[in-house]
Amino acid sequence: MTSHLRHELHALVDDVPTADVIDRALGTMRDRRRRRTAAGGAAVLATAVAIALPLTLTGASTVPITAGTPARYCWTVAPDMSTSALGPTGTAILSHLPDGYVADDEYRTEVCGTWGDVPTLPLDPVRMYNVTEARPDGMTVLMLVLRADVMPVTFANSLPTFTEPACAHALQSLATFGRSGEATTTGGGPAPEATMTMTWPDPSGLSSDTPTPPPISGDVTPSSPATPGAALVPHSQFCHKATATSPLVLGWRTVWATIVVSIGRDGRAIFAQLTRAPAGSPTAPITQKQLIALVTDPTLLAQLAQG
Amino acid sequence: MDPVAETEFRAWAAARQGAMFRTAFLLTGHRQDAEDLLQGALAKLAQRWTRISSDGSPDAYVRRILYHDLISWRRLARNRRERAHPDVGDFGVTADSASTSAVRLAVAQALARLTPRQRTVIVLRFYSDLPEAEVAKIMSCSIGTVRSQTHRTLARLRTMCPELSEILETV
């Protein structure tokens, strides 16, 4: 009986409390409009710089990836988390920006996804993707996804030219942060000029050795106090190490490296980065939802902020 | 969006987001996914609010976006290996009697096992109570397709869930 089926469908959801998403929807709409007017092809190269250099620093390109073998990762987060509050519920818009392409509405609709969809996208290995979310509180979160075994070091010579000062500031900072690692690991060309004021410390203290993340533990274990603006410490000490209670194994078909850049209202950049765990670490599966929860868990990030 | 349009949009959304959220919830089976789906749809509606509201059918527009975004999501995520709750989603099956609960659980499981297209047909026809022509417009297909999809989906429901046979045998 139709009415019976109707009754059951209503009974399934009628008592479900409604979510208020109006403000978030309006925020998303404003972000789309802002990015549509501000986006430019130069952002692609700048994004590449921001991705390639930190990845190179962590040695992601130097380890061969065997098809079908899960890669071990651990999660490292930069210490200056004072402005970090990645939203657990905001929808992130995935913009595919190959070769200077600026996504229009239709294309964006086609590739639009949420945080949870990001790792499963049929990503082209030689292209880059970014997920940008402008939040009502003024924070912009930029998520960059790149195949770890494709390292576009040639992009490292390109200067980021961003129309949005906060993005430029953040990505320039990342580029500067990774410059030393890029030079020692790849022997690449001249490093990009940093033309903006840096929030990150002076890169002269960077260690030339690619650090190996420590064994995964259940706790957030800061390896050095957060000292934004002070002398730079080696990457291995620069980052707080934090993982979930079990070791993380990404069982995706292809291994991706992910960087989440969070740009505070004050223009300071913080970033979280997915890097390889040491060989021999015990393995356990992690679901995409767990990974996303790790990225967006405000409690974890607050712990990291406090060291 | 100018302040007047935003006020109108907020008023409409406040009145209708409950119903739209429940539709999205039935389509996705998961509360978080439903929120994201609805947020995206409302954002798209807000972008075109002046034109859509003057046409007089924001509801139909949002339903259309919900459906097409759902299809896009599934297409993008078809290689996804894990789902948090693959069977019954986040539906809270709290019924007044054991038999009612069993049927409701069977409905939830059956919905989860349908394809997005089939689930949309069922939700729009039997939850939103829309006529076939309206469903066809939302799904960008013909009325005949809606009829055939409805027929096949109900047949599949009968096959998948014997518990539903009783309530579906005369649909």
Side-chain angles (χ1 to χ4, degrees):
Chain A
M1 196 170 357
T2 308
S3 61
H4 199 162
L5 181 58
R6 258 190 207 107
H7 171 76
E8 294 299 334
L9 290 173
H10 278 278
L12 275 176
V13 294
D14 277 355
D15 293 334
V16 173
T18 301
D20 188 350
V21 296
I22 298 174
D23 286 331
R24 283 157 45 190
L26 286 171
T28 302
M29 182 267 295
R30 291 191 186 104
D31 178 43
R32 286 176 183 169
R33 284 192 173 165
R34 189 162 49 241
R35 282 189 295 116
R36 197 188 316 167
T37 56
V44 177
L45 292 180
T47 302
V49 171
I51 298 173
L53 294 178
L55 283 179
T56 307
L57 182 66
T58 58
S61 66
T62 61
V63 182
I65 294 170
T66 307
T69 303
R72 285 181 290 277
Y73 282 80
C74 74
W75 190 255
T76 62
V77 182
D80 180 13
M81 305 298 286
S82 56
T83 58
S84 175
L86 304 188
T89 56
T91 294
I93 305 304
L94 184 70
S95 300
H96 177 191
L97 300 170
D99 304 323
Y101 184 89
V102 179
D104 57 18
D105 262 4
E106 289 69 30
Y107 189 83
R108 187 172 292 134
T109 299
E110 188 63 25
V111 300
C112 177
T114 62
W115 290 102
D117 291 326
V118 171
T120 63
L121 287 169
L123 297 179
D124 187 314
V126 296
R127 291 173 175 175
M128 287 148 295
Y129 300 75
N130 74 61
V131 177
T132 306
E133 180 191 18
R135 292 157 46 81
D137 59 9
M139 174 175 290
T140 301
V141 177
L142 182 67
M143 184 170 180
L144 312 170
V145 182
L146 180 73
R147 260 181 72 154
D149 56 344
V150 178
M151 185 56 58
V153 289
T154 53
F155 291 157
N157 296 330
S158 304
L159 261 179
T161 51
F162 270 89
T163 54
E164 294 187 28
C167 282
H169 191 180
L171 297 178
Q172 286 273 16
S173 300
L174 283 177
T176 303
F177 173 67
R179 187 187 306 170
S180 175
E182 188 268 339
T184 56
T185 313
T186 67
E193 293 292 332
T195 58
M196 305 187 68
T197 304
M198 295 301 152
T199 303
W200 295 117
D202 180 3
S204 60
L206 264 179
S207 166
S208 60
D209 295 326
T210 300
T212 302
I216 294 167
S217 67
D219 298 319
V220 176
T221 54
S223 52
S224 79
T227 54
L232 191 65
V233 294
H235 182 262
S236 56
Q237 297 175 34
F238 181 79
C239 293
H240 293 281
K241 310 299 189 299
T243 69
T245 51
S246 63
L248 310 181
V249 174
L250 306 184
W252 307 328
R253 284 182 310 171
T254 311
V255 178
W256 305 92
T258 303
I259 303 172
V260 177
V261 183
S262 182
I263 303 165
R265 202 189 322 228
D266 59 357
R268 289 198 301 177
I270 54 178
F271 75 99
Q273 185 172 346
L274 205 59
T275 56
R276 291 175 182 282
S281 295
T283 60
I286 180 174
T287 66
Q288 292 160 19
K289 279 193 181 284
Q290 285 173 322
L291 174 64
I292 300 309
L294 190 63
V295 179
T296 57
D297 180 15
T299 307
L300 174 61
L301 292 178
Q303 287 177 326
L304 290 165
Q306 295 163 3
Chain B
M1 184 179 244
D2 64 73
V4 176
E6 182 170 334
T7 304
E8 289 176 359
F9 172 77
R10 283 181 178 277
W12 178 89
R16 297 297 300 147
Q17 73 169 345
M20 293 302 166
F21 175 75
R22 285 188 280 274
T23 301
F25 196 8
L26 279 173
L27 290 177
T28 62
H30 296 275
R31 182 179 180 83
Q32 188 66 56
D33 289 348
E35 284 185 24
D36 288 343
L37 193 62
L38 179 60
Q39 179 182 334
L42 289 183
K44 288 172 183 171
L45 174 65
Q47 277 183 297
R48 300 163 181 81
W49 172 253
T50 307
R51 181 168 59 81
I52 302 293
S53 61
S54 64
D55 289 348
S57 186
D59 282 47
Y61 182 80
V62 170
R63 287 196 184 99
R64 192 156 60 242
I65 296 298
L66 289 178
Y67 167 68
H68 287 288
D69 279 1
L70 177 71
I71 296 293
S72 295
W73 282 18
R74 297 293 164 167
R75 188 185 303 138
L76 291 171
R78 63 187 160 198
N79 293 326
R80 182 181 290 180
R81 293 187 175 186
E82 304 94 2
R83 285 298 306 186
H85 305 285
D87 294 331
V88 294
D90 295 336
F91 292 122
V93 183
T94 54
D96 23 28
S97 72
S99 60
T100 310
S101 179
V103 172
R104 203 152 296 162
L105 187 61
V107 171
Q109 286 174 328
L111 277 178
R113 292 167 66 186
L114 295 176
T115 66
R117 194 175 169 87
Q118 291 172 330
R119 195 157 54 242
T120 304
V121 166
I122 290 295
V123 170
L124 294 181
R125 287 286 288 122
F126 299 118
Y127 175 74
S128 301
D129 213 11
L130 297 177
E132 288 170 339
E134 183 73 18
V135 175
K137 202 172 168 185
I138 289 171
M139 298 179 66
S140 305
C141 63
S142 68
I143 294 177
T145 303
V146 171
R147 284 182 187 145
S148 63
Q149 281 283 334
T150 306
H151 178 76
R152 284 185 201 138
T153 305
L154 292 175
R156 190 171 174 213
L157 284 175
R158 290 188 191 98
T159 307
M160 283 193 308
C161 301
E163 301 93 330
L164 290 177
S165 297
E166 189 177 331
I167 67 170
L168 292 176
E169 63 186 7
T170 54
V171 172

